[in-house]
Amino acid sequence: MLFSKIESLIKKLNPETISEERKIVLQPLAEFIQTKVSNNQEIRINFICTHNSRRSHLSQVWAQTMANYFNIKNVFCYSGGTESTALFPMVAET
């Protein structure tokens, strides 16, 4: 069960605001995930950013949240970085 504010925010999202160019870039990922779902396999997604201080963490949390919201089973999200740095403090608070 999601927090009501998060669920409300998700319901307000409009996929039509995603540019066609971005949809083309994301299509292979969507197909990969759909294949895993169709074959009842685990879906493991690792989000990588340079410092692993905020972007990858937020991507990880949102991807896992959306999988839960859309009832997509066996999704495991991770975050990582190409450089070792400290976590941006606001990410921990968020």
Side-chain angles (χ1 to χ4, degrees):
M1 175 176 246
L2 295 175
F3 291 109
S4 61
K5 286 186 178 183
I6 294 173
E7 190 170 352
S8 175
L9 177 68
I10 292 171
K11 287 179 180 178
K12 292 178 187 174
L13 295 175
N14 181 0
E16 297 304 316
T17 62
I18 301 170
S19 72
E20 290 304 314
E21 184 178 79
R22 190 72 181 140
K23 288 179 184 178
I24 290 169
V25 170
L26 292 172
Q27 189 59 40
L29 177 60
E31 291 171 1
F32 169 79
I33 292 170
Q34 185 58 60
T35 299
K36 294 284 190 174
V37 168
S38 297
N39 292 318
N40 199 30
Q41 296 175 320
E42 289 184 347
I43 301 159
R44 296 185 179 274
I45 304 172
N46 193 1
F47 295 91
I48 305 293
C49 70
T50 305
H51 298 107
N52 193 30
S53 63
R54 64 183 165 265
R55 291 178 301 264
S56 59
H57 292 280
L58 293 173
S59 298
Q60 171 193 357
V61 169
W62 273 112
Q64 195 73 59
T65 300
M66 296 302 277
N68 179 274
Y69 179 80
F70 288 107
N71 201 29
I72 303 171
K73 305 290 185 205
N74 300 318
V75 176
F76 304 94
C77 298
Y78 309 92
S79 71
T82 59
E83 296 177 14
S84 184
T85 61
L87 177 66
F88 188 69
M90 190 59 136
V91 171
E93 289 178 32
T94 304

